[in-house]
């Protein structure tokens, strides 16, 4: 890696920059829910990420359009991760300028991302105070008791500033990713158990029961996070019981596990439901598509959790073609600069042809807040390079009141959806005016069933949430990819430019339902004809998608 080769030179550099310090980012007050709780010891170690300018990110955005817009002549001609890195790696003079400045002042520095655009530094609080001309303090998140070392602003030397996008997480007051799942009240009492099981999804969405291509590289990746507090595991015995009960035709199918940062997929039934849902509704729906459970430890900083996965996907020889994540955060928990860094990571995955699918969240328009004065968008769902999935239920298809949706405060509306979101906004007139950013990226993009049966601790239980919707939608796409591969065509990659154009034929519009908003039930959004911020463009229609794709 260029960066590592540059290191010895840096140690020889005598020059100590003494240019004036310039304020780079600041917040005016400690965010709601956190309070200052003292000064950390000056010798305490902290880790920070420095995001360097990327040499050609605007050009990479054009490449993503070229490979994802169905009418483009290079549709489906994805780049390799090595090619993507050429657009992302920082210019050489940025690397040397930043290294000259930080190396004498930190305990260690190493590249964090494969392209070297993100550096991870380790330093003491005293060093950080000096390097960034600020005062780090300890802050406590009142609800969870979680402590973090942060500052309200930081500065950079004027000669260095142009080479750095941002340093994270100095001013980012973060909570770990929240699982988008909740256990609904019903337990084993529904009249027909099969009603909410894979067979039902196969019937309603026309999803076939197995693959035909024989491809082993068309695989699904499933995100998991765990820790003692967020104990999430995928249990092999429960999956076997689930398949025996609901998918006897693929009984015996299983999943592989990849563990990051010392995570463990415990099998002692002590976990929550998220891992169970996500594995049972990928292995159990995408019949015979190889499935990998990527389990990472919970990080107190969600940007790091999301970046771990981006880095992992960029470093795989054959990464999954579809990747589903049922975890979300409020967009405002990220600074705009850190959300943009993570979203640019998803842009890179779009360039290499991975469909990144996220649940939209379960709190409706307001993240379940009542009495709020503005709606609450959710991230990563608002990143324009991912496909976010809201929730609906049968029958007739109706949007789930908790289905999170709305408009980003950070990301402007992308061209692929502008006609659809403005059509919806025109149709509602002044409703909800002042509660959302009418120029923001609209989400969710699509929807699917939010309530299903799973097997947990050996027994059948019903669960609900967009947690269920994301793996179901991912399974639909993985089987569409299977048919494309069998027809000698490339997989779908980044889905949205297709879904908002010719791919609309592969989705069934949902026009009933209302979401939760700042004054309670029904005060969020209404489902409507065409795209809406509760059910997106609608639910899977496999035969319709085959027709739309000409296969
Ligand atoms: C960015 O990409 C364009 C088009 O490929 C190329 O002409 C230009 O040299 C690149 N710039 C950098 C800094 O790599
Ligand atoms: C930076 O934050 C400190 C408190 O940590 C405050 O005293 C100072 O005024 C802030 N400076 C700027 C320029 O915002
Ligand atoms: C697979 O699906 C078809 C309908 O497309 C159905 O007729 C058939 O019975 C299914 N096979 C199994 C083993 O469930």
């Amino acid at each position: 890696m260029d960066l590592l080769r540059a290191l010895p030179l840096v140690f020889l550099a005598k020059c100590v920059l003494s240019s004036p310090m310039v304020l780079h980012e600041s917040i005016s007050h400690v965010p709601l829910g956190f309070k200052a709780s003292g000064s950390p010891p000056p010798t305490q170690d902290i880790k920070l990420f420095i995001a360097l300018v990327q040499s050609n990110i605007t050009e990479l955005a054009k490449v993503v359009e070229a490979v994802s817009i169905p009418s483009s002549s290079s549709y489906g001609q994805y780049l390799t991760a090595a090619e993507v890195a050429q657009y992302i790696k920082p210019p050489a003079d940025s690397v040397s300028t930043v290294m000259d400045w930080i190396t004498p002042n930190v305990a260690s520095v190493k590249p964090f991302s494969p392209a070297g655009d993100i550096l991870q530094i380790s330093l003491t609080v005293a060093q950080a105070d000096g390097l960034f001309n600020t005062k780090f303090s300890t802050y406590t998140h009142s609800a969870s008791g979680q402590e973090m070392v942060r500052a309200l602003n930081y500065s950079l030397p004027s000669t260095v500033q142009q080479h750095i996008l941002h340093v994270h997480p100095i001013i980012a007051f973060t909570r770990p990713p929240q699982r988008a799942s909740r256990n609904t009240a019903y337990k084993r009492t529904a009249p027909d158990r099969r009603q909410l099981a894979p067979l039902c999804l196969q019937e309603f969405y026309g999803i076939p029961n197995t693959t035909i291509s024989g491809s082993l590289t068309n695989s699904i990746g499933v995100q998991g996070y765990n820790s003692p507090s967020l104990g999430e595991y995928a249990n092999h015995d429960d999956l076997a019981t689930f398949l025996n009960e609901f998918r006897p035709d693929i009984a015996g199918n299983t999943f592989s596990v990849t563990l990051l940062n010392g995570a463990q997929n415990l099998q002692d039934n002590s976990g929550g439901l998220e891992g169970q849902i996500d594995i049972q509704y990928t292995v159990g729906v995408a019949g015979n598509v190889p499935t990998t459970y990527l389990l990472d430890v919970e990080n107190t900083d969600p940007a790091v959790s999301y970046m771990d996965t981006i880095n992992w996907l960029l470093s795989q020889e054959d990464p999954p073609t579809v990747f589903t994540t049922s975890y979300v955060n409020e967009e405002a928990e990220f600074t705009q600069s850190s959300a943009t860094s993570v979203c640019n990571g998803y842009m890179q995955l779009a360039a290499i042809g991975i469909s990144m699918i996220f649940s939209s969240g379960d709190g409706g328009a307001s993240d379940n807040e009542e009495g709020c004065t503005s709606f609450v968008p959710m991230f990563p769902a608002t990143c324009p390079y991912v496909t976010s999935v809201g929730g609906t239920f049968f029958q007739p298809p109706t949007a789930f009141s908790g289905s999170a949706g709305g408009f980003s405060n950070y990301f402007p509306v992308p061209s692929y959806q502008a006609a659809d979101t403005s059509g919806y906004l025109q149709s509602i007139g002044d409703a909800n005016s002042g509660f959302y950013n009418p120029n923001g990226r609209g989400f969710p993009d699509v929807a699917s069933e939010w309530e299903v049966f799973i097997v947990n601790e050996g027994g059948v239980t019903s669960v609900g949430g967009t947690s269920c919707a994301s793996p179901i939608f991912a399974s639909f796409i993985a089987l569409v990819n299977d048919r494309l591969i069998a027809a000698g065509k490339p997989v779908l990659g980044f889905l949205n430019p297709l879904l908002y154009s010719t791919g609309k034929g592969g989705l069934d519009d949902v026009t009933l339902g209302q979401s939760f908003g700042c004054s309670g039930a029904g005060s969020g959004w209404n489902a409507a004809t065409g795209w809406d911020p509760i059910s997106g463009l609608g639910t899977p229609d496999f035969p319709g998608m085959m027709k739309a794709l000409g296969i």
Side-chain angles (χ1 to χ4, degrees):
M1 216 166 268
D2 289 355
L3 201 59
L4 293 177
R5 262 190 269 125
L7 275 171
L9 295 176
V10 166
F11 288 120
L12 295 178
K14 296 191 272 310
C15 135
V16 175
L17 295 167
S18 57
S19 57
M21 298 298 283
V22 193
L23 182 67
H24 192 65
E25 284 191 300
S26 66
I27 50 177
S28 55
H29 56 270
V30 182
L32 214 64
F34 293 87
K35 59 176 198 296
S37 51
S39 294
T43 53
Q44 183 177 328
D45 273 317
I46 56 173
K47 284 188 171 51
L48 296 173
F49 297 90
I50 300 184
L52 303 178
V53 290
Q54 298 162 322
S55 56
N56 228 336
I57 192 80
T58 47
E59 207 58 38
L60 186 64
K62 290 183 198 154
V63 170
V64 169
E65 287 196 359
V67 301
S68 319
I69 296 179
S71 58
S72 152
S73 60
S74 37
Y75 183 57
Q77 293 172 27
Y78 306 118
L79 273 55
T80 63
E83 287 166 339
V84 168
Q86 292 306 308
Y87 290 83
I88 292 299
K89 70 168 200 226
D93 67 318
S94 296
V95 177
S96 58
T97 305
V98 171
M99 292 300 267
D100 284 356
W101 167 59
I102 50 172
T103 310
N105 298 305
V106 300
S108 76
V109 51
K110 61 183 186 196
F112 179 68
S113 59
D117 58 312
I118 301 175
L119 305 177
Q120 183 171 23
I121 61 173
S122 161
L123 71 179
T124 65
V125 166
Q127 284 175 320
D129 282 346
L131 197 59
F132 298 106
N133 193 28
T134 188
K135 179 86 190 86
F136 280 84
S137 301
T138 303
Y139 294 89
T140 303
H141 180 237
S142 311
S144 64
Q146 180 183 302
E147 289 192 342
M148 56 190 75
V149 175
R150 297 287 189 273
L152 300 186
N153 54 58
Y154 65 96
S155 299
L156 298 171
S158 61
T159 48
V160 170
Q161 189 182 27
Q162 64 186 299
H163 303 289
I164 290 182
L165 297 172
H166 67 105
V167 184
H168 180 84
I170 301 182
I171 61 161
F173 288 72
T174 51
R175 287 189 275 147
Q178 308 292 304
R179 85 202 92 175
S181 100
R182 58 179 196 171
N183 193 353
T184 53
Y186 326 82
K187 299 239 180 200
R188 311 192 61 140
T189 51
D192 178 4
R193 275 197 196 177
R194 302 181 75 87
Q195 199 187 334
L196 298 174
L199 190 65
C200 179
L201 301 170
Q202 292 175 299
E203 275 172 18
F204 273 109
Y205 299 154
I207 297 177
N209 41 28
T210 190
T211 51
I212 58 170
S213 73
S215 169
L216 295 176
T217 54
N218 178 41
S219 65
I220 300 185
V222 177
Q223 183 72 65
Y225 294 111
N226 76 15
S227 72
S229 69
L230 197 73
E232 292 293 350
Y233 314 103
N235 187 287
H236 286 277
D237 290 344
D238 283 342
L239 174 66
T241 308
F242 177 83
L243 296 177
N244 276 327
E245 168 103 12
F246 297 117
R247 285 300 308 265
D249 56 317
I250 54 168
N253 279 6
T254 182
F255 57 99
S256 61
V257 180
T258 297
L259 302 170
L260 298 183
N261 300 316
Q264 284 183 292
N265 189 31
L266 299 181
Q267 297 294 297
D268 63 1
N269 275 331
S270 63
L273 300 172
E274 186 62 69
Q276 306 276 62
I277 299 170
D278 298 346
I279 281 298
Q280 290 175 24
Y281 279 80
T282 45
V283 179
V285 178
N288 294 337
V289 174
T291 302
T292 299
Y293 189 46
L294 180 69
L295 191 59
D296 196 357
V297 292
E298 173 191 12
N299 198 296
T300 51
D301 179 354
V304 177
S305 298
Y306 296 123
M307 286 193 297
D308 274 349
T309 297
I310 292 165
N311 291 340
W312 183 79
L313 287 166
L314 285 170
S315 60
Q316 297 308 296
E317 192 149 334
D318 284 311
T321 48
V322 179
F323 195 91
T324 175
T325 303
S326 289
Y327 293 82
V328 286
N329 290 82
E330 293 183 2
E331 189 184 70
E333 288 176 62
F334 292 75
T335 56
Q336 184 157 9
S337 54
S338 66
T340 302
S341 265
V342 173
C343 188
N344 284 349
Y346 298 131
M347 186 203 294
Q348 296 171 57
L349 299 177
I352 66 173
I354 303 181
S355 305
M356 292 300 288
I357 297 177
F358 286 83
S359 58
S360 72
D362 291 356
S366 66
D367 199 21
N368 281 329
E369 240 183 86
E370 266 194 80
C372 37
T373 51
S374 56
F375 289 161
V376 180
M378 306 300 287
F379 184 83
T382 53
C383 168
Y385 294 100
V386 308
T387 298
S388 56
V389 189
T392 58
F393 56 90
F394 307 128
Q395 181 68 322
T398 305
F400 158 49
S401 63
S403 182
F407 297 84
S408 175
N409 290 320
Y410 290 165
F411 300 99
V413 62
S415 56
Y416 60 73
Q417 68 166 190
D420 297 86
T421 53
S422 70
Y424 177 82
L425 290 177
Q426 272 164 27
S427 77
I428 64 167
D430 286 342
N432 293 339
S433 159
F435 280 79
Y436 68 96
N437 168 21
N439 303 313
R441 185 261 203 264
F443 78 109
D445 298 297
V446 294
S448 62
E449 174 64 23
W450 73 278
E451 186 183 28
V452 295
F453 278 119
I454 61 165
V455 170
N456 189 51
E457 297 186 47
V460 176
T461 179
S462 99
V463 292
T466 55
S467 275
C468 309
S470 184
I472 292 168
F473 197 84
S475 298
F476 160 61
I477 295 300
L479 284 170
V480 171
N481 282 342
D482 174 71
R483 293 332 193 241
L484 285 167
I485 292 168
K489 296 185 175 188
V491 297
L492 292 179
F494 173 43
L495 300 169
N496 297 3
L498 167 75
L499 299 180
Y500 284 89
S501 60
T502 50
K504 277 181 186 164
L507 299 167
D508 285 333
D509 194 10
V510 175
T511 58
L512 299 174
Q514 298 168 331
S515 61
F516 189 90
C518 291
S519 18
S523 63
W525 306 104
N526 286 332
T529 302
W531 181 87
D532 56 67
I534 166 168
S535 67
L537 295 164
T539 56
D541 172 356
F542 196 91
M545 189 58 90
M546 294 293 97
K547 215 163 136 199
L549 295 169
I551 46 177

